[in-house]
Amino acid sequence: MSILNIVNLLGGLGLFLFGMNYMSDGINQVAGKRMKDLLEKLTRNRLKGFLLGVFVTSIIQSSSATTVMLMGFLNAGIMDLAQATGVILGAHIGTTITAVLIALDVSVISTACIFIGSVLVIFGRKQNKVYTGEIILGFGLLFFGLKYMSGDQAMGVLKSSAAFKAFITSANNPFVGLAVGTIMCAILQSSSASIGVLQVLALQGLMPMKFAIYMIIGVNVGSAMPLFLSSIGAKTNAKRAALVYFIFDVVGMLIFTPIAFFTPYTSFITSLSPNGSVQVAIGHIIFKVVTAILLLPFVNVIVRFTTRIIPSREHASDLRFLYIDPKLVEYNASMIASIEKEVQRMVDLVRWNFVHSCEAFMTRDLSNEEEILHNEEIINWLNNNLTDYIIMVTSRPIGKIESARVGRLFHVLIDLERIGDHAINILTRTKTSINDELTYSSSSLDEFKEIYENVIVLFDQSIQSFNQEKPFEEYQTGLLNLRNFIRDLNNKALDDHIVRLRAHKCHTASGIVFTKILQDLERTGDHSYNISKAGTNDAALISQM
């Protein structure tokens, strides 16, 4: 045993882990949006959700990443826990693809993949080519690291270790195997990587199946550790999803540990292939597939159990995110949907405040004042914290489409916050009118009502235009005409108001307040129109806002 052996072993392991993470990042960039859309559309049916979990995870090769993605969808209200549970069960099966590839020994093409991937990453002009290069390069590094790790220069450290050989030879205690497998996966933070290490050891004759079978079970239990860590301090749905993931592995452990100990299960696996790497892959696949099939009919039972163990929390304050979990910022596939839900929440609050502030002015009724002020506090909180969250999101590597959408949402936040301020202005001016006993003619109130109703129409149509992400030109004429019509109504109301002042039909103090309220209405219309412009894919139009 030498220091060089240890360095080679750790270097090969490092390449393996880096390649796996690099490949997964590239896949998420290329396929993340498509995976998100699939998960949104096909999870209503339990069986489809299960099969989709298999498919998605076989692509991105991380059941933990799939589950964290589901946490985001749960927080955004896109799916419920029962739907997510079916996908989580399928995700466990999908993650076995790496073990299959390792068993097939595709490392012979690793150097070619490293060359091709490097060329695409360095010289690729289009972003998709760069991401594709990352996938190919990561794939090559993964299997090159595996090949290097299994070589004599690296494995010599274990082959020459009398202590390691003595431990493996005498290792018959299933609890030791479970503990070692769990700890190894908790350290490596990846069940695929941990199983890959076992396959390398088994291929070199350093991991007999009688002990490897318990380590496989332990690795699967340890794979829940990253999710538990990510769910600490997270929202209720995130904790429940992590618990569902853990339940799968614990149930699998309770099923397969006694089977492996009391039956010739290990002999059955070794009879299927003389290759130790293949044997480990088979044991891993059987664990995942059998456990998933047994648990699938009991999805509702699992959901009720997790809901009872982790009940919904009562929150003392509304100043919080309802759909975003800041702890899940590392995974962007469901991130955009969560941001959009929070922005829509802000839209609803702003609209409610504006409508009821205007109604209060017309009816001189301040019964909704407290709720309007409370909503304004939430609006300001959302504006500040969504802005911070969006800045954090855009500082991380995300696709161009996602980045553009987040940027447009940022512009919408600015206009929504200002519309909220104008609603508060109208409420404040209404209080002044009531406290100072200011009166307005029926003509003034009719003009106000007409402008206000058109502003609401413009606001609603602008939000619709933004949400549909249609080219701005399709809406430009109608929305621009409506905004100009509001300005014309406003100018006419101001002219008529001057006439009333000259005729002494309106008090000067009332006139000042009325003029300022008209300005608030016009500014609200302008900001509503800006929201429609934010929905365009034309960066030049956005920059004009």
Side-chain angles (χ1 to χ4, degrees), residues 9-44:
L9 178 62
L10 294 177
L13 178 61
L15 276 175
F16 179 80
L17 294 173
F18 177 78
M20 178 168 289
N21 288 330
Y22 199 66
M23 181 180 69
S24 295
D25 288 343
I27 291 172
N28 274 318
Q29 295 294 347
V30 172
K33 181 66 165 60
R34 296 184 182 91
M35 297 299 103
K36 168 185 172 293
D37 293 340
L38 278 173
L39 285 169
E40 286 186 45
K41 294 175 182 177
L42 301 180
T43 53
R44 294 294 169 187

Side-chain angles (χ1 to χ4, degrees), residues 230-246:
S230 67
S231 68
I232 295 174
K235 291 181 177 294
T236 300
N237 282 326
K239 291 182 177 179
R240 288 173 178 170
L243 181 58
V244 169
Y245 191 98
F246 182 66

Side-chain angles (χ1 to χ4, degrees), residues 22-138:
Y22 199 66
M23 181 180 69
S24 295
D25 288 343
I27 291 172
N28 274 318
Q29 295 294 347
V30 172
K33 181 66 165 60
R34 296 184 182 91
M35 297 299 103
K36 168 185 172 293
D37 293 340
L38 278 173
L39 285 169
E40 286 186 45
K41 294 175 182 177
L42 301 180
T43 53
R44 294 294 169 187
N45 180 285
R46 185 182 304 171
L47 181 59
K48 286 183 179 179
F50 174 77
L51 295 175
L52 185 61
V54 175
F55 173 72
V56 170
T57 311
S58 66
I59 298 294
I60 66 176
Q61 273 309 289
S62 174
S63 55
S64 297
T66 301
T67 303
V68 174
M69 190 190 305
L70 294 173
M71 291 177 181
F73 291 140
L74 286 168
N75 289 333
I78 293 173
M79 64 175 64
D80 56 37
L81 187 60
Q83 294 160 354
T85 299
V87 181
I88 291 172
L89 297 181
H92 278 81
I93 297 176
T95 195
T96 61
I97 296 298
T98 301
V100 173
L101 293 174
I102 293 172
L104 294 175
D105 191 16
V106 297
S107 59
V108 291
I109 63 170
S110 61
T111 50
C113 289
I114 291 173
F115 173 74
I116 295 171
S118 298
V119 170
L120 289 174
V121 170
I122 295 172
F123 299 106
R125 294 184 178 180
K126 294 184 178 180
Q127 199 67 49
N128 278 343
K129 286 187 177 181
V130 174
Y131 293 146
T132 302
E134 289 181 4
I135 296 170
I136 298 172
L137 177 58

Side-chain angles (χ1 to χ4, degrees), residues 196-324:
V197 172
L198 287 182
Q199 288 179 273
V200 170
L201 292 171
L203 188 64
Q204 296 293 320
L206 298 173
M207 183 58 62
M209 198 61 196
K210 65 176 183 178
F211 187 64
I213 193 66
Y214 298 113
M215 287 194 67
I216 292 169
I217 298 170
V219 163
N220 280 283
V221 174
S223 67
M225 186 60 66
L227 286 176
F228 273 125
L229 293 176
S230 67
S231 68
I232 295 174
K235 291 181 177 294
T236 300
N237 282 326
K239 291 182 177 179
R240 288 173 178 170
L243 181 58
V244 169
Y245 191 98
F246 182 66
I247 288 171
F248 178 100
D249 295 319
V250 170
V251 169
M253 179 187 70
L254 295 176
I255 293 172
F256 280 94
T257 301
I259 288 177
F261 191 77
F262 293 110
T263 71
Y265 174 62
T266 304
S267 300
F268 165 72
I269 292 177
T270 54
S271 68
L272 297 176
S273 173
N275 187 304
S277 178
V278 175
Q279 292 171 9
V280 172
I282 291 172
H284 183 54
I285 292 169
I286 292 175
F287 178 94
K288 295 285 194 181
V289 173
V290 172
T291 306
I293 292 175
L294 289 176
L295 287 179
L296 187 59
F298 300 99
V299 166
N300 292 332
V301 176
I302 296 172
V303 170
R304 287 196 296 270
F305 176 76
T306 55
T307 303
R308 182 172 298 179
I309 295 297
I310 305 176
S312 299
R313 294 180 295 181
E314 291 189 10
H315 297 272
S317 173
D318 291 324
L319 303 181
R320 60 189 176 89
F321 288 135
L322 297 183
Y323 309 105
I324 289 175

